[in-house]
Amino acid sequence: MDDGVRLSDDILLYILNFVIPKTLRQLMLTCRMYHHHGARYLVQPGVTLSPNRISSFLAFLDADQQYRLAQLRTLHITTLEDRFKNVSDSIPAKRGILLKTLFDRIVFGNALTRLTFNDMENTLSLHPKLADAVSSLEALQELSIKGIGCRSVRTMQVLRSRLVKAEVTYPRLDGQELELFSLLIPANQSAPFLLCTSQQSLQELSLYGGNITTATHDAPRYPNVHTLYVQYDRSPFTSYYARIFPNLQTFKAFDCPPPVSSAFVEAYGRLLRKGNQEDQLLRGQWSALDCYIGSLRDLYLRGFTCPIRVVKLNEAKCPMLPWMLEEALADAKPQHLELDIDNAFLLCRQDFLDTFIQPSCRQLAQLDVRVRLCNLEAPLIYNIIGPSLDLVASHIVAPLTALTSFSFSLDCRDLRKPICGEIEVTEVFRDQLFYTEEILADWDVDLFARRCREANVSGSLESITVEIRQHIYREDTTVHLGPGLD
């Protein structure tokens, strides 16, 4: 072996990047170098601990404690397993002691940067001193918590870490989560009070199922939060967010308020939207937002009174109503608009097409339209996709005189998925094309792109991208038109 070629330690360790955990554990038994350095490749991607794994993980840390604690950056603590709920109290007590020991060591290692609690309140209840250990963590940058209660609140309000990113999930109770403004959470459990120790450091915040309390006059302000994501917001009052996050750039929202009928939106949506707009003028508003991502209904109901440079709308679970789109865009006045549409029917509606001749779209410089075709369009009696495609160039591209970039995408992957209660589509039409599929099988993507460019009479359009994906009998096709690409 003295005359042979020996790989350097760096190369031997680099190989560990491509080894699955089971093989890595076996390699760690072969030599001291792998036994020592291999731990980094095991723990750095993240460790998920269920109650029955805490003891074995502590033993793993003890084998090389100082080094392995220094490599532990991400930890997920999961909920107690059902089989432990009906046994003697000694088992939960033992879990609590082990968790307390684990967090004491993590505090000593001072390397953990990301922590997730699947049920923070119940986890903290396992040991009277566990909350103190968690609050002593100083290196955390990202924290995700579910299950908020008294122990969680006390822990968070004395947390030594200065978080950069936080995710807070509140419980949703069956039958009550759909009621607007129901179950407003206590002020001290509201995110602005819960995260008060990170007031100057927090940059990204995600909220699920909670509310920003109406008591905003004494709520902490978060001047450095630039991205906010809210879902199932029980009190969708825009001015509260504007006051608490004055320098926000990106607002993401889905199902805020929770799903309600179209009749509700028609009857009460305008009132909520008007109230939001008036409240912003009285209590506070943003001067501008860089980006909104979410559903059209959320954009409409929140009634933003500031321009939004980029608007990205997704129709999932929320129909894109043309009248709502027109009013929302009139407020936002976006320069870049993305529409993610669930089917091609919308492209045939005159009230939808009329949106693009409105003053609110005159400044549009970039438009991206993605259409997910569904099997509602598949039966032979429908001829939807042909007329829809014919209208894109003349009724969408042509009126936009400031447009510089346009992309159009058709996604066919859901054409053969079954509708609830129907026979599996692939069993009925296994050997024949749907009419929609037949039309698209011969669709000339390049010709469509050139028609879109010709429709732009102002000559402002510099870039066009058209694509079709996941068609059953043709390859994915993408055409780009632009300077030097003709």
Side-chain angles (χ1 to χ4, degrees):
M1 291 297 294
D2 293 339
D3 297 329
V5 177
R6 183 181 184 276
L7 294 176
S8 69
D9 289 350
D10 289 341
I11 294 177
L12 290 172
L13 291 176
Y14 180 73
I15 293 172
L16 298 185
N17 286 298
F18 309 97
V19 175
I20 62 175
K22 181 179 179 180
T23 303
L24 179 56
R25 288 192 292 269
Q26 294 172 340
L27 289 174
M28 289 174 65
L29 301 175
T30 61
C31 66
R32 290 182 179 179
M33 182 185 69
Y34 274 170
H35 182 266
H36 176 71
H37 292 285
R40 171 162 61 100
Y41 299 87
L42 273 180
V43 303
Q44 277 196 353
V47 174
T48 299
L49 286 184
S50 56
N52 60 334
R53 294 185 59 198
I54 301 171
S55 180
S56 60
F57 185 66
L58 280 171
F60 168 79
L61 291 177
D62 289 342
D64 193 354
Q65 186 177 119
Q66 185 174 355
Y67 178 77
R68 292 181 179 183
L69 281 173
Q71 307 307 315
L72 182 60
R73 307 296 170 81
T74 302
L75 179 63
H76 306 274
I77 303 295
T78 63
T79 343
L80 286 177
E81 297 170 356
D82 290 337
R83 66 172 179 267
F84 295 123
K85 292 183 178 180
N86 297 318
V87 297
S88 66
D89 292 339
S90 61
I91 292 182
K94 182 180 179 181
R95 307 294 177 194
I97 293 171
L98 292 173
L99 269 176
K100 171 66 165 56
T101 303
L102 173 62
F103 274 95
D104 283 341
R105 293 182 184 177
I106 292 174
V107 170
F108 175 77
N110 197 34
L112 191 70
T113 59
R114 286 178 286 183
L115 176 62
T116 299
F117 280 108
N118 228 21
D119 190 344
M120 188 175 190
E121 189 67 16
N122 283 335
T123 300
L124 295 179
S125 70
L126 294 176
H127 193 284
K129 297 292 184 181
L130 182 55
D132 294 336
V134 173
S135 64
S136 299
L137 296 170
E138 296 183 347
L140 282 183
Q141 296 181 12
E142 300 180 21
L143 179 63
S144 175
I145 56 177
K146 297 179 181 179
I148 312 299
C150 296
R151 296 180 184 87
S152 309
V153 170
R154 289 195 295 269
T155 303
M156 293 299 300
Q157 290 179 346
V158 294
L159 185 66
R160 294 183 184 178
S161 295
R162 298 300 175 256
L163 303 174
V164 174
K165 184 177 181 179
E167 181 180 293
V168 183
T169 302
Y170 296 91
R172 297 179 61 208
L173 303 180
D174 291 341
Q176 292 179 309
E177 72 272 24
L178 302 183
E179 296 180 15
L180 187 59
F181 314 127
S182 67
L183 299 173
L184 297 184
I185 61 176
N188 67 342
Q189 294 184 23
S190 184
F193 294 94
L194 196 65
L195 303 168
C196 59
T197 60
S198 300
Q199 186 177 347
Q200 299 300 320
S201 61
L202 196 65
Q203 297 180 21
E204 298 182 39
L205 175 61
S206 298
L207 298 174
Y208 300 89
N211 69 288
I212 295 293
T213 176
T214 56
T216 55
H217 60 279
D218 59 347
R221 299 324 190 240
Y222 291 78
N224 296 311
V225 170
H226 57 73
T227 300
L228 176 66
Y229 176 80
V230 291
Q231 186 172 14
Y232 299 111
D233 184 3
R234 294 167 179 163
S235 57
F237 299 121
T238 307
S239 65
Y240 300 157
Y241 294 98
R243 294 186 65 190
I244 295 171
F245 310 108
N247 299 312
L248 194 71
Q249 293 298 307
T250 300
F251 196 113
K252 305 178 184 180
F254 288 93
D255 293 323
C256 309
V260 289
S261 65
S262 299
F264 174 91
V265 175
E266 285 279 5
Y268 303 106
R270 295 182 189 275
L271 293 177
L272 178 58
R273 169 183 163 82
K274 182 179 179 181
N276 253 331
Q277 293 177 328
E278 293 174 349
D279 204 42
Q280 287 175 75
L281 298 176
L282 292 173
R283 297 176 181 269
Q285 60 184 334
W286 292 293
S287 59
L289 287 175
D290 184 66
C291 183
Y292 169 85
I293 302 173
S295 71
L296 171 60
R297 185 189 61 196
D298 292 312
L299 176 64
Y300 174 81
L301 293 179
R302 291 188 180 276
F304 295 103
T305 55
C306 65
I308 306 175
R309 188 181 67 84
V310 179
V311 172
K312 301 181 180 182
L313 301 178
N314 191 315
E315 197 179 11
K317 299 191 299 183
C318 182
M320 198 169 290
L321 304 176
W323 65 267
M324 190 182 292
L325 177 64
E326 182 179 331
E327 292 188 35
L329 293 183
D331 292 334
K333 299 178 177 61
Q335 299 175 31
H336 177 188
L337 176 62
E338 288 189 13
L339 299 177
D340 205 334
I341 301 170
D342 275 347
N343 56 64
F345 289 99
L346 192 62
L347 299 179
C348 289
R349 290 186 56 168
Q350 188 61 47
D351 51 356
F352 172 76
L353 298 174
D354 288 345
T355 302
F356 299 95
I357 63 174
Q358 302 302 319
S360 58
C361 290
R362 288 176 184 169
Q363 73 287 340
L364 266 183
Q366 182 173 344
L367 175 62
D368 304 315
V369 179
R370 289 188 289 271
V371 183
R372 293 187 301 273
L373 299 172
C374 65
N375 61 359
L376 287 172
E377 296 147 325
L380 303 179
I381 59 173
Y382 289 110
N383 181 6
I384 295 298
I385 193 63
S388 298
L389 294 176
D390 291 340
L391 293 170
V392 170
S394 58
H395 287 71
I396 295 179
V397 177
L400 303 177
T401 57
L403 197 64
T404 60
S405 175
F406 175 66
S407 70
F408 184 82
S409 173
L410 289 178
D411 189 335
C412 305
R413 74 184 69 190
D414 291 339
L415 270 174
R416 293 188 169 238
K417 282 188 177 180
I419 305 175
C420 182
E422 290 190 357
I423 301 174
E424 177 69 49
V425 173
T426 53
E427 293 296 327
V428 180
F429 297 101
R430 182 183 299 275
D431 298 321
Q432 69 179 101
L433 289 173
F434 294 131
Y435 187 78
T436 299
E437 292 173 327
E438 186 177 344
I439 293 292
L440 294 177
D442 300 320
W443 183 43
D444 191 331
V445 180
D446 183 74
L447 179 61
F448 178 86
R450 294 182 183 279
R451 284 178 177 172
C452 288
R453 185 174 61 179
E454 293 168 0
N456 181 246
V457 293
S458 67
S460 62
L461 194 54
E462 300 173 356
S463 172
I464 298 176
T465 301
V466 181
E467 66 176 1
I468 180 170
R469 305 182 61 181
Q470 301 291 320
H471 189 280
I472 191 171
Y473 286 137
R474 67 179 289 175
E475 294 183 354
D476 292 356
T477 305
T478 302
V479 169
H480 299 285
L481 293 182
L485 297 175
D486 294 356

